[in-house]
Amino acid sequence: MTSDTLSIRRFITGRLLAGLTLASSCLLAPGALAEQADAPAPAPSLKSAADTLPAAQNIHLRYGVFIHGYRALGADADYVLQPWGYGVETHLYTVGLASWFLTLNLLSSAQGHFNGDNVAPVSFSNSGFAHGEEEKAHIDFDLTGPHVAVFLPVDKQREPLPAAELKQSVDMLSFLVALTHRMTLKQDCTFSRPVFDGIRLSYLDVHGPSQTTLPKDHGSYFRGDALKCDFTGRQIGGFSIGTRFKAAQSSPHKGTVWFVHDPQGGFVPARIEFDHYKMGQILVVLQAAPKVSAVTHTQTR
């Protein structure tokens, strides 16, 4: 597989995970798929958006992922909320006709601590199969920045990474932990930081929110009022040596996240749209009610 093909898949994987609400320092196995609701539910009133979630509960979310209007992927997330930190595991997989042409089955996880309205990641892992190849990564984080312990398949044909931005970077899941944490604490999503996936360094910049109405298409579970956060992302380091796509990858690409406030799950991203420099618009839609369950003592250790 070429480095450009790997780049496209990892870019998509990271952005799809961008909408997942997260928090806690323990990892959970993916839960059973939530049942599809019979009818779309109205988005709960944003008047209760500042309500505090009870600690130690597992929340399961199920998304459909659409490329050029066609459902190509499914994405599931399980996460636990704690006042002191976060932990999450996500599952990304091909569905429908897309599975005839693309085999993708990836599990990703992250954990870390809260530092005010920011995050301090501890580790990020990714494993699974795509295009018949094993894909595996593990990154540890400390005060000196990220440290890549494993990254397969090996890809050494990369330009150097800017040291200052790399030291400040977090993984994609932890970036969105921070985003959702800010929304929960003060209904603010103005936030920016470098994001590192093991070989590639990007910069994400988010602004908002603004009050709006959630679009009804593509089987959206929620309808009604929402808070919208706009973002841009661009790659700043780790480009494939000799790639003809460097100019496109380093240019800002726009996207939007719509948050709703669920009485049980708190703030959840109900919809995500973003542009990919090769594949065009990619849409991620929450298609079932958030499923909340108690976390056992064993799970939180």
Side-chain angles (χ1 to χ4, degrees):
M1 184 186 302
T2 67
S3 60
D4 283 333
T5 302
L6 287 169
S7 174
I8 294 170
R9 193 177 70 248
R10 288 172 185 143
F11 182 95
I12 294 174
T13 302
R15 290 296 191 274
L16 296 179
L17 298 176
L20 304 175
T21 328
L22 316 164
S24 163
S25 71
C26 60
L27 301 179
L28 298 180
L33 291 179
E35 295 180 355
Q36 177 69 37
D38 293 333
S45 171
L46 295 175
K47 292 180 181 179
S48 61
D51 293 346
T52 301
L53 288 173
Q57 62 179 6
N58 176 51
I59 300 177
H60 176 88
L61 302 177
R62 188 184 73 177
Y63 294 88
V65 182
F66 300 84
I67 301 175
H68 292 292
Y70 295 96
R71 187 167 188 251
L73 302 170
D76 299 300
D78 283 87
Y79 59 94
V80 174
L81 300 175
Q82 296 284 8
W84 37 265
Y86 60 91
V88 60
E89 185 163 303
T90 61
H91 183 202
L92 183 67
Y93 49 92
T94 44
V95 297
L97 291 176
S99 60
W100 295 8
F101 310 100
L102 171 70
T103 301
L104 191 148
N105 187 16
L106 295 174
L107 293 172
S108 299
S109 60
Q111 59 179 330
H113 304 287
F114 290 126
N115 181 14
D117 60 9
N118 212 326
V119 294
V122 173
S123 66
F124 171 82
S125 296
N126 184 57
S127 63
F129 290 87
H131 296 286
E133 288 188 300
E134 180 182 9
E135 188 168 301
K136 187 174 184 180
H138 183 84
I139 307 172
D140 294 312
F141 292 84
D142 59 25
L143 294 177
T144 65
H147 305 276
V148 180
V150 178
F151 197 96
L152 295 172
V154 177
D155 186 356
K156 296 182 178 179
Q157 301 300 311
R158 294 277 165 180
E159 295 182 8
L161 299 165
E165 288 82 357
L166 180 62
K167 182 178 179 180
Q168 300 171 0
S169 68
V170 298
D171 61 272
M172 176 62 76
L173 289 178
S174 292
F175 179 92
L176 289 138
V177 172
L179 176 61
T180 304
H181 188 51
R182 291 177 68 92
M183 287 291 291
T184 301
L185 290 179
K186 51 189 180 181
Q187 295 184 48
D188 173 65
C189 56
T190 299
F191 180 68
S192 59
R193 197 157 176 184
V195 175
F196 183 55
D197 70 356
I199 56 173
R200 197 174 297 98
L201 191 64
S202 300
Y203 192 84
L204 296 181
D205 189 12
V206 191
H207 295 281
S210 60
Q211 190 153 353
T212 187
T213 300
L214 188 68
K216 302 176 182 179
D217 53 33
H218 292 84
S220 176
Y221 176 78
F222 287 111
R223 291 184 179 181
D225 293 340
L227 294 175
K228 185 175 72 169
C229 301
D230 296 315
F231 66 88
T232 58
R234 59 187 177 89
Q235 188 172 336
I236 61 173
F239 297 95
S240 295
I241 295 176
T243 179
R244 65 185 186 278
F245 301 113
K246 184 174 181 178
Q249 291 168 334
S250 59
S251 298
H253 300 279
K254 296 181 179 181
T256 301
V257 182
W258 283 262
F259 283 94
V260 300
H261 187 268
D262 180 73
Q264 295 189 82
F267 272 109
V268 294
R271 183 185 181 97
I272 309 157
E273 291 183 10
F274 62 92
D275 293 325
H276 185 263
Y277 70 96
K278 275 190 171 181
M279 304 189 71
Q281 185 188 72
I282 297 177
L283 173 63
V284 185
V285 178
L286 184 65
Q287 296 192 310
K291 300 294 183 179
V292 180
S293 58
V295 177
T296 66
H297 178 68
T298 302
Q299 286 176 303
T300 57
R301 291 201 301 183

